[in-house]
């Protein structure tokens, strides 16, 4: 497991009394996740996923859990939080905030095909449309200001050439603003390991705990940068075009979004370049050090700088 908040059967069985979910049958740890502890929980009524939050506080959870509930009601494939007898989605377990959500079928894919990329694009657009009626708002805590501040903390650890490249990109992004582009609810972390697939069909988007309100195009760029990236780090043009075609079959880009797309691809790569550098050089106590090489995102930024085909 990625973090180590352990829960025994007796403690969980007592906690489950606040739900109408029957008796505990099995508790099994999930070897996935970066910042949260996750278990499969099987009861006499069904199977669920228990998440124990290692960083987020109880009063920070309503945005994320109510968003998932809202999206699930609107037909977006995602887990639905389970309310307890007091109509709350989260409460304390082992001294930390915890919630239960429905357990979805399917599994993540490492090497997606074109049909899967199209399905991701379509469902992401549906998420953006459904999010338009979600009343809560959450500023992106890992937006441009965070990139700049984080970059400043990691420059001393970097070699001169890499630090110069990061400084150049931060400066470049500081000169661009996207306030005029459509905004709304974004997942903000729609990597391959945060989507469950049933064959070529979306079983569900998961891990909404970086979701926020931001530029919709930014969310699409995050997805393309991961779903269409080949093992060599280059973007597969066919997969990128297919994902974008799926998205635009539901929500076509506006002209200003098309013009901003090349810069947004770089912005999305920069966000994860800086966060992976932070994970590498200043790992947080109690979390699994995320091992994805920051160079992956550095290469993406540098490739997008000279790219001529952006797949629109």
């Amino acid at each position: 497991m990625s973090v180590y908040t352990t829960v025994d059967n007796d403690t969980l069985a007592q906690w489950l009394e606040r739900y109408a979910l029957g008796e505990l049958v099995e508790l099994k740890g999930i070897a996935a996740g970066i910042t949260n502890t996750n278990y499969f929980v099987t009861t006499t009524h069904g199977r669920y996923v228990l998440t124990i939050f290692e960083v987020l506080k109880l009063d920070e959870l309503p945005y994320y859990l109510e968003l998932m509930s809202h999206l699930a009601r609107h037909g977006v494939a995602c887990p639905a939080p389970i309310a307890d007898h007091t109509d709350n989605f989260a409460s304390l377990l082992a001294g930390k905030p915890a919630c239960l959500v429905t357990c979805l079928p399917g599994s993540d894919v490492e090497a997606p095909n074109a049909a899967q990329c199209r399905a991701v694009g379509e469902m992401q657009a549906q998420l953006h449309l459904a999010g338009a009626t979600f009343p809560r708002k959450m500023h992106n805590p890992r937006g441009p200001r965070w990139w700049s501040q984080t970059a400043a903390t990691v420059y001393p650890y970097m070699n001169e050439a890499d630090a110069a490249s990061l400084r150049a990109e931060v400066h470049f992004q500081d000169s661009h603003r996207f306030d005029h582009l459509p905004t709304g609810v974004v997942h903000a972390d729609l990597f391959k390991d945060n989507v469950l697939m049933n064959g070529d069909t979306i079983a569900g988007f998961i891990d909404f705990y970086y979701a926020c309100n931001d530029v919709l195009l930014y969310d699409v760029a995050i997805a393309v940068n991961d779903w269409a990236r080949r093992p060599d780090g280059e973007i597969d043009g066919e997969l990128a075009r297919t994902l974008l075609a799926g998205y635009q079959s539901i929500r076509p880009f506006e002209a200003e979004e098309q013009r901003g797309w090349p810069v947004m691809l770089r912005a999305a790569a920069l966000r994860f370049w800086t966060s992976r550098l932070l994970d590498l050089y200043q790992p947080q106590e109690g979390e699994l050090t995320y091992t994805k090489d920051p160079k992956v995102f550095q290469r993406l930024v540098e490739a997008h700088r000279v790219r001529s085909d952006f797949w629109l």
Side-chain angles (χ1 to χ4, degrees), residues 213-232:
N213 293 80
D214 207 333
V215 175
L216 302 181
L217 193 68
Y218 168 73
D219 208 27
V220 183
I222 289 172
V224 167
N225 277 341
D226 190 62
W227 280 83
R229 190 175 68 245
R230 298 196 304 249
D232 64 2

Side-chain angles (χ1 to χ4, degrees), residues 59-74:
D59 61 1
E60 296 175 316
L61 291 177
Y63 176 89
Y64 307 107
L65 299 178
E66 290 176 21
L67 172 62
M68 293 164 64
S69 179
H70 174 90
L71 294 175
R73 291 199 312 272
H74 285 76

Side-chain angles (χ1 to χ4, degrees), residues 174-236:
D174 283 347
S175 69
H176 290 80
R177 290 291 179 267
F178 298 101
D179 298 341
H180 59 293
L181 298 182
T183 61
V185 169
V186 299
H187 183 284
D189 196 25
L190 200 62
F191 280 54
K192 294 189 289 288
D193 58 359
N194 283 332
V195 178
L196 302 178
M197 303 293 305
N198 263 338
D200 293 339
T201 302
I202 304 290
F205 291 172
I206 62 174
D207 198 355
F208 278 80
Y209 304 113
Y210 285 108
C212 57
N213 293 80
D214 207 333
V215 175
L216 302 181
L217 193 68
Y218 168 73
D219 208 27
V220 183
I222 289 172
V224 167
N225 277 341
D226 190 62
W227 280 83
R229 190 175 68 245
R230 298 196 304 249
D232 64 2
E234 185 51 84
I235 295 293
D236 184 305

Side-chain angles (χ1 to χ4, degrees), residues 33-38 49-57 60-69 79-82 89-90 97-102 138-142 186-190 194 205-212 271:
I34 301 171
T35 58
N36 298 321
T37 298
N38 296 291
V49 174
L50 167 68
T51 297
I52 302 174
F53 297 92
E54 304 294 336
V55 177
L56 291 171
K57 306 303 182 185
E60 296 175 316
L61 291 177
Y63 176 89
Y64 307 107
L65 299 178
E66 290 176 21
L67 172 62
M68 293 164 64
S69 179
I82 307 297
F89 287 136
C99 74
L100 285 169
V101 301
T102 53
M138 171 75 73
H139 174 74
N140 186 356
R142 294 200 168 193
V186 299
H187 183 284
D189 196 25
L190 200 62
N194 283 332
F205 291 172
I206 62 174
D207 198 355
F208 278 80
Y209 304 113
Y210 285 108
C212 57
R271 177 264 187 260

Side-chain angles (χ1 to χ4, degrees), residues 4-79:
Y4 300 97
T5 296
T6 57
V7 177
D8 60 40
N9 283 19
D10 290 342
T11 300
L12 182 61
Q14 183 176 6
W15 186 75
L16 285 173
E17 290 177 2
R18 68 182 62 231
Y19 292 91
L21 297 177
E23 302 296 322
L24 177 63
V25 175
E26 183 183 33
L27 173 65
K28 181 179 180 182
I30 302 174
I34 301 171
T35 58
N36 298 321
T37 298
N38 296 291
Y39 291 90
F40 287 123
V41 173
T42 303
T43 76
T44 50
H45 287 194
R47 198 179 196 213
Y48 309 90
V49 174
L50 167 68
T51 297
I52 302 174
F53 297 92
E54 304 294 336
V55 177
L56 291 171
K57 306 303 182 185
L58 190 62
D59 61 1
E60 296 175 316
L61 291 177
Y63 176 89
Y64 307 107
L65 299 178
E66 290 176 21
L67 172 62
M68 293 164 64
S69 179
H70 174 90
L71 294 175
R73 291 199 312 272
H74 285 76
V76 176
C78 69

